[in-house]
Amino acid sequence: VSGEGYFLNTSGGVITANLPAGVAGAIVSFADYAATWQTSNVTVTPNGTDKIGALNQNATLNVEGQSVTFVYVDATQGWWSL
């Protein structure tokens, strides 16, 4: 959901997080709740034909203790991480 932050716990295994449909200015944040993304990562999937970093592909979060905020720019660039 745009405007929300999520603490993702992968201590039980890898997970997939689905981004909402992109609307200019939409923001979604994820944080590594249990500091386990280096061994059990998170796959971030864009909605439909949306992009992440101007590419039509998923993003992988795999850094221990990482937190990421995705901001939707437009249909050309899609979601960008901060």
Side-chain angles (χ1 to χ4, degrees), residues 3-78:
E4 296 290 327
Y6 299 93
F7 293 94
L8 303 178
N9 184 352
T10 62
S11 60
V14 299
I15 61 173
T16 298
N18 299 311
L19 291 170
V23 176
I27 297 172
V28 178
S29 295
F30 300 118
D32 186 0
Y33 174 81
T36 55
W37 288 2
Q38 79 284 4
T39 55
S40 296
N41 57 44
V42 175
T43 299
V44 180
T45 304
N47 186 288
T49 60
D50 287 348
K51 299 173 183 174
I52 297 177
L55 302 173
N56 290 318
Q57 61 188 31
N58 298 334
T60 301
L61 306 178
N62 58 6
V63 176
E64 179 179 354
Q66 183 177 21
S67 60
V68 177
T69 298
F70 288 91
V71 179
Y72 190 82
V73 180
D74 58 26
T76 301
Q77 296 298 317

